[in-house]
Amino acid sequence: MPSPMMSATMQAAALSTASNFCAQFIEAYQEQRAFSLDLIQMFRFVAMTFMSAPPNYMWQQYLERTFPAYPPPSQAAEIQQRDVELKAMEEASHASTGEAPVAPPAAAQPAFSLRNTLTKWFIDCITMGAIMNTIAFLVLMGIMKGQPTSQIWSNIQTETIPIIVAGYKIWPIASIISFSFIPVNRRIVFLSFVGLIWGIYMSLVAARV
């Protein structure tokens, strides 16, 4: 059975393939020419996904560990230890009196943290995540095209801000809609659809840099 990271990478690669195919078709339509699939361009885009998806998966895991959506209650270990000691004392007391022990109340479930969720959203969609992914995309695409360092640096200077601004128009809104209105069992489908649209845009960027 493939690992979760491998499954996520394969899903991302499949979406990248579909996105690049759609982007090439749109590009041919805009230029009013016959559609011809550029396999080299598609290979570059899918290869870039294979290289970037695992680090992104680990980045998401890091964010969840650092800002868990359901953080454990404060002093959980201390409370658990006191419960164990109290239970032992109660059992000893009931054993001496012959009374049946009373079951302790169930442990409180961790509460959803809106603050942590908004922090993850801000770091990933608005600041670090967006910047790192954009620069990594431009660097990897430039390397696969055999561009010199000066050209890659020029791409970073001219394309980073437009890509990030375009991302701001779709991902923060998509995240808010997902968290607020989409049932949890439908969120993967919804976000995958958004990712397909974003992949088309990024394929068009990859073709021009």
Side-chain angles (χ1 to χ4, degrees), residues 120-186:
K120 284 186 294 186
W121 171 81
F122 182 79
I123 293 174
D124 192 43
C125 290
I126 305 299
T127 56
M128 291 179 61
I131 295 171
M132 289 189 302
N133 273 303
T134 301
I135 293 177
F137 171 83
L138 294 171
V139 170
L140 290 173
M141 195 57 64
I143 291 173
M144 285 189 289
K145 287 187 173 184
Q147 294 176 344
T149 304
S150 59
Q151 180 62 49
I152 294 175
W153 175 242
S154 177
N155 292 339
I156 293 173
Q157 290 178 308
T158 58
E159 298 289 346
T160 298
I161 298 302
I163 291 174
I164 290 177
V165 170
Y168 287 169
K169 295 177 182 178
I170 182 171
W171 285 114
I173 297 173
S175 296
I176 291 173
I177 293 174
S178 176
F179 283 126
S180 303
F181 303 108
I182 306 299
V184 65
N185 62 320
R186 298 290 185 183

Side-chain angles (χ1 to χ4, degrees), residues 14-28:
L15 288 171
S16 293
T17 303
S19 297
N20 190 261
F21 180 88
C22 293
Q24 291 193 44
F25 183 85
I26 293 171
E27 191 175 16

